[in-house]
Amino acid sequence: MNYIQFFAMRPEVSLLCIYLVIFVYDLISTGHLRRMFHPLVCISTLLLTFLTLTDTSTFTLFGGMYESNAAIVFMKAILAFGTFLTVLQANRWLRSANTSYKQGEFYVLLLSTLVGMYFMLSARHFLLLFIGIELASLPMACLVAFDKYRHNSAEAGIKYILSSMFASALMLYGISFLYGTTGTLYFGDMSALITGQPIEIFALVMFFTGIGFKISLVPFHMWTADSYQGAPTTVTAYLSVISKGAAVFTLFIVLLKVFLPMTSEWQMIIYITTIASITLANLMAMKQQFIKRFMAFSSISQAGYIMLAVIGGSTDGMTAMIYYVLVYMVANMAIFAIIESIEWQIRRAVKRDTLNGFYESNPKLTLIMTLALFSLAGIPPFAGFFSKFFVFMSAFGAGFKVLVFIALINTVISLYYYLLIVKAMYIKSAEQKLPAIKSSRYTLVSLAICIAGIILLGICSSVYGTIGNLGNL
Amino acid sequence: MNMLILFIIIPIVMLPALWACRKEAQVRAVMVTGSTLLLLLSAWLTVDFISCRNAGNNDIMLYTASWPWYEKLNIALSVGVDGISVAMLLLTSVIVFTGVFASWRIRPMAKEFFLWYTLLSVGVYGFFVSTDLFTMFMFYETALIPMYLLIGVWGSGKKEYSAMKLTLMLMGGSAFLLMGILGIYFGSGATTMNIHEIAAMNNIPTATQYIFFPLTFIGFGVLGALFPFHTWSPDGHASAPTSVSMLHAGVLMKLGGYGCFRIAMYLMPQAASDLAWIFIILTTISVVYGALSAISQTDLKYINAYSSVSHCGLVLFAILMMTKTACTGAILQMLSHGLMTALFFAIIGMIYGRTHTRDIKQMRGLMKIMPFLAVGYVIAGLANLGLPGFSGFVAEMTVFAGAFEVNDTFHRTVTIIACTSIVITAVYILRVVGRILYGEPENEEHKKLSDATWDERFTIICLVICVAAIGIAPMWVSSLIADGTGNVLANMFP
């Protein structure tokens, strides 16, 4: 065996090195070194982003089990950057009494999920894919239950792990059928042997269910609201953006690489789940009082919009999807950073009413929150408008006109509930005003990055251009 | 350097400048400087445009320029103006300029108010100078969303309800519009987003046009207060603060008419001429129903809001006639109605700021208490009902003359029906004037009130001058507009 191959997987290898360094550092550091722990992790995740980007060539390893190309590398870099933002925002929470002693565990678990996602993206073999997905899910359950002394967090962890395992089992069941009909687990060989017989359609449905759970599409979304609400806010942010982004990308790859002969079948499945996700999540989101729960439903509906890019299965669609994930990441991270800051100060869950009169005490945070919400709702000139437009354009170009129309009507509904928060912050007056919120310096850095992203990602067309030039999968 | 791009750059530069301001005086200084620059720029543009035309430059669009933006998707930031856009830019500049003075004493949070106000004007200017479907749509939506906060935070009455209703209805309209834009782009072969190139190709299949023309027309029509999608308008106007009402009724609603003409009809001429009858009926209802509703209102702002529905309906009515005279009249009506309504809303806001009521039953004899405002109100009213010498007369005259040119029973009948709105307008204007301005003051509190302050007088005088100027010397502006409408119609029906 040629061991040099391992070193060709530069993103994974650098990630593992960082992982080991952090693991050892956690064991040996005391006193002053301990205080440097968090900055060290921040810098190394940022470094990871750049290391990931260094090698954009196309190659396959291990007889075609592993593939890397420019698009995959770019997506990995987005995930790494999102992890960087997450770590930045986790600063204060990690130093609090209940978590400071397991600070290192948080980083290690976080990076384990990232390793899993890296393998999910690069896998060209169902075994590797499944290992990647499991590696991304199991530590995630620990992260969700990280505040184990809080009843909510533990409950959320249990919910996550049970539904996650159930979804994995279904997916594995589907994969076994595929193996049974084609006799191979390699993506490339499989697509040549797939004929679209009923048993393969069954396998497709099972696979889709498993991955749909990770993306939290309706009707596989049941865990989302509870887990999002119970998990520590930083973990929620990670769960809603990074984990989802990786899953969508993986789905896109598998649909194109494996299920290409069954395009009309999976398009129909996505068609229905997209409409269901967008519509149901929008209707549910209107009723929510707790902001984190609200963001859970908002993220389900955003997942539906991302699926509009997947459904066409075109290169344009892939560009639109990566761009959408990036834009969605900065907006969502900004909102969660603000929620985290507020929760930290007031020591209870943030409801919509809590935000009443937020403007008077915190004009700057309110403005950032407003811009982020507008970006999520797709209001120009913020980045969300562009990403939504491109997603619609790719689905429309692929001929799904009615679907686009339904999604467009839903953007109006989503605007309604995003505006409810804006209304609470600007217009409603509070009986009990929030104090001036002090964010930690790390959170402020992450907010600055997010707000720059919200404003510039759309106006600077070069970002989209870069993604568009990455080439096909 | 292209002159038109300045219309976008100046307000964008104003945004950080406003954000950096610490005192109210600085905010006002930034606003006055910026809006004056824009006013001068648009005046210069008008003069330069007319002299270019006189020099024999007959291109459809002048000052064209294009910067590629999202090249893969054929999106570019293309600008260019014809007579119609020049007139609209002039109108916008006048309203933005006077709006600053009308909200001179806005409280609280003057800085934030002007931030959103300026963002709104970025959208409006950008919309009028762009010639690219994507950028037009982007600027269109940019202009809509600040309305939510401007009405919700600084408005009066049931402001939260109105702001939400207005935003959602307009955004619903823009969902239709986005459908239409995608339909046009893909229908024309997905090679360009530039509206003139699409119009020149003229290759959208008729079946596609039949689907996407109504979507686009309704999308813009919502903003142009097309019946039955006009219900946001009265509530929105009534709750909005003065300068926002001015900008909204004066300029924003014109985006609707402009878009219907420039995008829906220009790019899909076949469907436009086949399906026009449906929309002609709807707009006729708008015109008459708006005017009749105004009669039964007792709130000054509601009266004016319904009057706007009627007058904006007339704009859409006229462009659907598709004759050069009628279309020129439509754009003239947009210009004239923009100025008159701004004047009206400005004065109503000033009266409301003093009496704290807009109910006409509770006011009487204001002529003796605040003569300046009262005279301004009378002038606005007379201009609104189409008295010769003011812009309203010129515009309505052209519209009806143009509409009557279409020689068949259906068009003649609807024209005659629409004409009745002139009489109805006279009824509701004169009734209010007689009720609140004349007679003896009844309310003791009202007798202590003062007349207009300097900034209010300045606003009113500026607008009155504009209204009268168009009324007395209409030819320069009407030939300016006719140049644009002629080109559009010639392209639609070669």
Side-chain angles (χ1 to χ4, degrees), chain A residues 323 359 379-380 385-386 389-390 393 396-397 401 405 408 412 415-416 419 423 426-427 458-459 461 464 468, chain B residues 69-70 72-73 109 112 134 137-138 141-142 145 148 152 160 168 171-172 175 178-179 182-183 185-186 212:
Chain A
Y323 184 69
Y359 179 80
I379 305 289
F385 170 76
F386 294 86
F389 190 91
F390 298 150
M393 210 162 153
F396 197 99
K401 293 178 187 151
F405 189 65
L408 272 169
V412 183
L415 182 67
Y416 169 72
L419 280 181
K423 175 163 123 182
Y426 277 97
I427 301 174
I459 295 170
S461 58
Y464 184 85
Chain B
W69 198 7
Y70 284 93
K72 260 190 147 55
L73 305 172
M109 302 191 271
E112 283 75 8
F134 176 82
F137 180 70
M138 183 187 83
E141 285 217 330
T142 309
I145 200 71
Y148 179 75
E160 291 172 28
L168 291 184
M171 280 300 176
L178 181 51
M179 245 352 242
L182 290 173
Y185 174 68
F186 286 103
F212 293 105

Side-chain angles (χ1 to χ4, degrees), chain B residues 250-281:
Chain B
V251 183
L252 214 53
M253 284 173 86
K254 273 70 203 170
L255 260 58
Y258 182 88
C260 283
F261 191 51
R262 177 76 91 206
I263 294 183
M265 294 172 60
Y266 183 42
L267 301 183
M268 294 179 280
Q270 188 60 44
S273 48
D274 291 353
L275 301 179
W277 63 274
I278 303 174
F279 293 104
I280 288 179
I281 293 174

Side-chain angles (χ1 to χ4, degrees), chain A residues 363-435:
Chain A
K364 288 198 174 126
L365 284 185
T366 311
L367 187 71
I368 296 174
M369 182 97 164
T370 311
L371 298 192
L373 287 170
F374 280 175
S375 185
L376 283 184
I379 305 289
F382 310 111
F385 170 76
F386 294 86
S387 62
K388 277 227 168 88
F389 190 91
F390 298 150
V391 162
F392 289 141
M393 210 162 153
S394 80
F396 197 99
F400 295 94
K401 293 178 187 151
V402 178
L403 181 64
V404 171
F405 189 65
I406 295 172
L408 272 169
I409 297 298
N410 269 290
T411 56
V412 183
I413 303 176
S414 72
L415 182 67
Y416 169 72
Y417 57 73
Y418 290 125
L419 280 181
L420 284 182
I421 296 185
V422 175
K423 175 163 123 182
M425 294 191 299
Y426 277 97
I427 301 174
K428 293 220 168 153
S429 52
E431 293 156 18
Q432 199 185 353
K433 255 184 219 151
L434 284 173

Side-chain angles (χ1 to χ4, degrees), chain A residues 65 67 116 236 260 288 402 446 466:
Chain A
M65 267 180 114
E67 187 182 347
T236 313
L260 198 60
Q288 303 307 320
V402 178
S446 84
T466 313

